[in-house]
Amino acid sequence: GAGVSQSPSNKVTEKGKDVELRCDPISGHTALYWYRQRLGQGLEFLIYFQGNSAPDKSGLPSDRFSAERTGESVSTLTIQRTQQEDSAVYLCASSLEGRARWATQYFGPGTRLTVL
Amino acid sequence: QKEVEQDPGPLSVPEGAIVSLNCTYSNSAFQYFMWYRQYSRKGPELLMYTYSSGNKEDGRFTAQVDKSSKYISLFIRDSQPSDSATYLCAMSGGGAGSYQLTFGKGTKLSVIP
């Protein structure tokens, strides 16, 4: 079936503007994750959604970052008042639930965000 | 000390060589060990997944985990130019929060024809 999709693939914005990134997970995957990949750095965990439970937002770097998910479908990551240090590739992943299944996360192609 | 250390390379090998990629880690709670392959401007793709210590083989790829040394490896036999990519190791614990993967920075591999 279809993999994880993300849009837009590239986003260039001016400092101070808000941006919204979209993720469409694999159908049937109840777990959804957002990660950030800065140049030369490992992937940083941002947020985890599990079904209808409260999300784990512990990785969000500041209150300018927020994310929503409607049921077990699409998720959006919003960055308000963007700063140059927000420039990175934002990756979405999905998986089935459970400890072994959390280890097998499937990633989308990412959104490359550039803040001028 | 970072939780996961991975030599960024770059690593350049001739086609047909055996490639060895490695990560060390400090968190003894890690139970799940993964290797991802990431082509340029693409998302990471899961290659191998191992639970606890031991070896796992899949075609030309072999993953090894040595929990006593906190050391994991990925071997690629008969390397091909199409293996040229960045390889990321990732780990997670066995507890309630084990959905959070901790990644190495990745090793960039080039296989020269």
Side-chain angles (χ1 to χ4, degrees):
Chain A
V4 177
S5 60
Q6 293 187 246
S7 62
S9 55
N10 285 283
K11 178 71 178 178
V12 180
T13 190
E14 293 179 349
K15 178 181 172 181
K17 301 282 190 183
D18 298 351
V19 296
E20 188 173 280
L21 313 179
R22 177 188 167 105
C23 172
D24 206 334
I26 293 171
S27 178
H29 280 191
T30 53
L32 186 146
Y33 319 77
W34 284 97
Y35 291 86
R36 179 170 70 176
Q37 186 175 33
R38 290 172 163 170
L39 192 63
Q41 303 296 315
L43 275 71
E44 301 171 69
F45 167 83
L46 297 178
I47 189 167
Y48 160 69
F49 291 93
Q50 175 199 346
N52 294 317
S53 301
D56 177 353
K57 304 180 181 181
S58 61
L60 294 178
S62 77
D63 59 8
R64 297 186 295 104
F65 288 72
S66 63
E68 292 184 350
R69 186 183 187 193
T70 306
E72 296 179 356
S73 61
V74 171
S75 174
T76 55
L77 177 68
T78 301
I79 308 174
Q80 294 178 310
R81 306 180 302 282
T82 51
Q83 304 294 312
Q84 288 182 333
E85 63 262 27
D86 299 333
S87 295
V89 177
Y90 290 83
L91 290 157
C92 176
S94 70
S95 76
L96 296 171
E97 287 294 340
R99 292 176 185 178
R101 291 168 173 178
W102 288 329
T104 52
Q105 298 180 17
Y106 295 87
F107 284 82
T111 293
R112 184 174 299 270
L113 175 66
T114 303
V115 182
L116 301 176
Chain B
Q1 180 187 12
K2 291 196 180 296
E3 276 197 299
V4 179
E5 300 275 6
Q6 184 176 11
D7 185 338
L11 180 62
S12 185
V13 302
E15 182 176 353
I18 296 175
V19 176
S20 173
L21 303 166
N22 313 291
C23 289
T24 59
Y25 63 95
S26 58
N27 188 344
S28 58
F30 287 144
Q31 295 283 346
Y32 296 92
F33 304 91
M34 286 69 69
W35 286 96
Y36 284 85
R37 177 174 63 195
Q38 186 173 25
Y39 291 114
S40 181
R41 294 186 172 261
K42 301 289 186 183
E45 170 195 8
L46 181 65
L47 277 178
M48 304 281 287
Y49 145 63
T50 308
Y51 172 69
S52 194
S53 283
N55 294 357
K56 188 171 185 178
E57 187 173 322
D58 184 1
R60 296 184 295 113
F61 298 89
T62 300
Q64 288 186 351
V65 175
D66 181 348
K67 292 189 68 182
S68 63
S69 301
K70 296 190 178 67
Y71 187 88
I72 70 170
S73 300
L74 177 70
F75 298 96
I76 308 174
R77 290 184 298 280
D78 186 26
S79 56
Q80 303 295 310
S82 58
D83 295 327
S84 297
T86 297
Y87 289 80
L88 307 169
C89 62
M91 308 175 189
S92 65
S98 55
Y99 49 79
Q100 277 200 36
L101 302 188
T102 302
F103 284 82
K105 291 185 179 181
T107 300
K108 186 170 184 178
L109 171 68
S110 294
V111 180
I112 311 302

